[in-house]
Amino acid sequence: AATAAVVTQDSLLNVCMDAKHHKTEPGPEGQLYGQCVLWKDNACCTANTSLEAHQDQSYLYNFNWDHCGAMPEKCKRHFIQDTCLYECSPNLGPWIDQADTSWRKERIRDVPLCQEDCEQWWEDCQDAVTCKVNWHKGWNWTTGTNQCPKGAMCQKFKFVFPTAAALCEQVWSGSYRYTSHHRGSGRCIQMWFDPAQGNPNVAVARYYA
């Protein structure tokens, strides 16, 4: 039984989820672009995916951040960072769950985000505008990109997501969980970190595995 436990634990560490653009196994990527560069030593994303993560309407998911008018840059950088973490991180194994969609077999659920990462995301996005709480479903895709469904009103994030926890937990239907843990505690996943100091999320995945 002990060996089985070890095998299970190891299978949660340093893995890529089975989703639309992920590599089958993590490894070094010399040319990761922009905000995704943090993961270049060991990544689940390709250079091309990292480049596309920064496009306003990338072919990754044809998702349009500007569905209620232009999203401010200071807000958009958090969504880009969230995309980089999702596509590139090999440290999300403990939270990989089955997904029932045509475009991916696995997704993440309840990833414990560090309080600062979540608060800053909300802070920088509170005046951005959206028409939906859950961005995973319910859009009008008739044009090939997401548009607000009929009758949905565009409002500031702070009214759609009254708290940082509401934003982090609801926007991607429970992919993240708001925590009171702080960066560097080894108990929460950081969307942002200094790669020169190494990747703090390796230890966090190990702790939860």
Side-chain angles (χ1 to χ4, degrees):
T3 348
V6 172
V7 170
T8 328
Q9 184 187 14
D10 283 349
S11 67
L12 296 177
L13 300 175
N14 199 33
V15 293
C16 299
M17 71 186 102
D18 183 355
K20 193 172 178 186
H21 300 289
H22 289 67
K23 300 193 311 196
T24 45
E25 293 187 347
E29 284 289 330
Q31 296 298 313
L32 289 191
Y33 179 80
Q35 292 174 220
C36 294
V37 77
L38 310 191
W39 287 276
K40 75 178 171 53
D41 292 343
N42 193 26
C44 284
C45 61
T46 60
N48 202 24
T49 297
S50 72
L51 179 67
E52 285 293 323
H54 293 71
Q55 308 299 331
D56 271 356
Q57 209 168 312
S58 90
Y59 79 78
L60 293 180
Y61 305 101
N62 289 322
F63 196 88
N64 176 21
W65 305 122
D66 304 330
H67 49 264
C68 279
M71 180 184 277
E73 288 305 319
K74 68 174 183 179
C75 172
K76 193 172 289 177
R77 70 191 186 100
H78 290 276
F79 282 97
I80 292 171
Q81 197 66 10
D82 149 62
T83 304
C84 288
L85 176 73
Y86 170 79
E87 299 290 350
C88 304
S89 175
N91 312 119
L92 300 175
W95 304 280
I96 290 177
D97 200 10
Q98 296 305 303
D100 50 357
T101 46
S102 56
W103 52 278
R104 59 178 182 182
K105 292 196 172 62
E106 292 179 332
R107 58 163 292 185
I108 45 171
R109 210 180 280 277
D110 294 328
V111 172
L113 265 198
C114 295
Q115 186 175 3
E116 296 88 339
D117 289 49
C118 194
E119 295 284 352
Q120 195 63 54
W121 191 352
W122 188 85
E123 192 62 36
D124 289 343
C125 287
Q126 55 176 326
D127 292 324
V129 184
T130 185
C131 55
K132 281 180 60 44
V133 172
N134 179 354
W135 288 14
H136 265 148
K137 45 179 175 246
W139 296 99
N140 170 0
W141 285 95
T142 50
T143 58
T145 183
N146 56 305
Q147 292 182 304
C148 293
K150 204 175 170 167
M153 198 170 90
C154 288
Q155 324 181 54
K156 288 189 172 181
F157 270 47
K158 58 184 164 198
F159 302 120
V160 179
F161 306 107
T163 61
L167 170 62
C168 294
E169 295 183 352
Q170 294 171 353
V171 71
W172 298 124
S173 58
S175 293
Y176 296 118
R177 183 165 56 82
Y178 177 86
T179 72
S180 52
H181 296 303
H182 295 288
R183 286 183 190 167
S185 66
R187 301 287 177 269
C188 58
I189 292 288
Q190 292 179 211
M191 276 199 337
W192 305 83
F193 57 87
D194 173 4
Q197 310 285 315
N199 178 346
N201 296 333
V202 174
V204 180
R206 191 171 296 125
Y207 172 78
Y208 285 98

